[in-house]
Amino acid sequence: MPCKTGLSAEAAEELGLVIDFIIETHPAYLETKQLAQQRNLHVHEFLNSQLDDLVSMKNVASSSELTKDFHIWPDFHGNRSPLADSSLKGMKCGLTLNCDINDLAIQYLSTLQALAVSTCDNLEP
């Protein structure tokens, strides 16, 4: 579903804050950050490489299959549009007791997917 217009700088910054929040509040964040620094990578690049490894390890066709049991509702500060409901809250669905780097990578991917879908909902006429 192609989106027809761009985002404002404020909207893009808010999306970045949601991504950072998911990553930086995860128990595996410090280990992930350290490993990324050792490899001279940004944390996002490191997590993307972890996702590539998980696709191979789990023998799935694409990374989108990694989040079939985990979902994010990204309205951590309410929803401005298209629902215009400031009382909405963010949600993680499908949590397990797993708290390793692979779990962080899956939560990161699920966040990107949720933000992409909600952004297209906002941009579509």
Side-chain angles (χ1 to χ4, degrees):
M1 90 180 70
C3 298
K4 298 185 178 170
T5 60
L7 287 174
S8 69
E10 294 83 15
E13 183 177 344
E14 190 169 318
L15 297 179
L17 291 173
V18 171
I19 295 165
D20 290 345
F21 174 79
I22 293 297
I23 293 171
E24 293 172 6
T25 58
H26 193 279
Y29 170 64
L30 293 178
E31 180 184 6
T32 300
K33 183 179 175 183
Q34 182 181 34
L35 289 170
Q37 287 173 341
Q38 288 172 2
R39 296 176 189 173
N40 204 26
L41 296 172
H42 187 277
V43 169
H44 297 174
E45 292 173 306
F46 178 81
L47 290 171
N48 287 329
S49 71
Q50 283 296 117
L51 290 167
D52 290 341
D53 292 346
L54 279 171
V55 167
S56 296
M57 188 171 72
K58 294 185 180 262
N59 198 27
V60 293
S62 77
S63 60
S64 63
E65 293 182 51
L66 298 172
T67 58
K68 67 183 177 81
D69 296 321
F70 187 84
H71 308 284
I72 296 272
W73 183 264
D75 293 333
F76 292 96
H77 291 294
N79 181 284
R80 287 166 186 75
S81 66
L83 303 177
D85 184 347
S86 62
S87 69
L88 289 177
K89 305 293 183 230
M91 177 188 71
K92 293 179 182 183
C93 179
L95 289 170
T96 67
L97 295 177
N98 195 356
C99 60
D100 62 9
I101 292 173
N102 290 336
D103 181 65
L104 172 53
I106 289 170
Q107 288 194 31
Y108 163 73
L109 175 59
S110 186
T111 303
L112 296 179
Q113 292 168 334
L115 292 172
V117 170
S118 68
T119 299
C120 278
D121 284 347
N122 289 332
L123 298 177
E124 299 249 320

